[in-house]
Amino acid sequence: MEIWINPACSKCRSAISLLDAEGAEYTVRRHLEDVPSEDEIREVLDRLGLEPWDITRTQEAAAKELGLKEWARDDSSRDRWITALAEHPKLIQRPLITADDGSAVVGRTEDAVRDALARK
């Protein structure tokens, strides 16, 4: 499993603490430094079963500068959202955990992290 984190994020640190406590094997990806490509974002969205606007941090300064709250949330706008996430990785909700079974979860709660752990 892989976890996309920002080390400054308390939710990310909590998720890693739980993974460590459970003895999980995982790799850490600091997505602000090792920025995911548009294709990687598409893959994670497919694994999550979500749309890009579902994993976008709309309160970030970059989101406000881009006017994301006004963007359409439909199939024709999907690529525009994905490009914005790739160009501004701080907008990506975190932590994102890709589970061993090919799925993924947004690990913002202990239950979500445990759900990822159960997907072996």
Side-chain angles (χ1 to χ4, degrees):
M1 99 178 30
E2 181 177 77
I3 182 170
W4 294 8
I5 68 158
N6 174 351
C9 169
S10 63
K11 300 279 186 191
C12 294
R13 292 191 307 271
S14 295
I16 285 178
S17 292
L18 180 55
L19 293 174
D20 288 344
E22 295 295 326
E25 291 185 26
Y26 63 93
T27 56
V28 170
R29 179 172 187 170
R30 294 179 179 210
H31 73 281
L32 298 182
E33 298 163 17
D34 182 7
V35 179
S37 68
E38 289 184 26
D39 285 342
E40 288 174 307
I41 293 169
R42 280 186 189 87
E43 179 187 340
V44 164
L45 287 168
D46 289 346
R47 292 174 78 165
L48 287 165
L50 297 174
E51 294 296 337
W53 45 86
D54 296 327
I55 65 161
T56 300
R57 298 170 53 84
T58 57
Q59 297 303 312
E60 291 289 334
K64 292 176 182 175
E65 288 172 23
L66 292 168
L68 288 183
K69 286 191 175 189
E70 309 306 316
W71 288 15
R73 297 176 181 214
D74 57 26
D75 284 344
S76 65
S77 302
R78 191 172 199 266
D79 286 341
R80 182 180 186 199
W81 282 85
I82 290 169
T83 298
L85 292 174
E87 291 176 356
H88 305 277
K90 198 168 193 175
L91 296 177
I92 299 172
Q93 191 62 261
R94 60 193 186 252
L96 287 178
I97 303 170
T98 56
D100 293 339
D101 71 352
S103 65
V105 299
V106 178
R108 295 192 56 78
T109 65
E110 183 176 324
D111 286 345
V113 176
R114 290 194 184 283
D115 183 36
L117 283 166
R119 298 177 184 212
K120 292 186 178 182

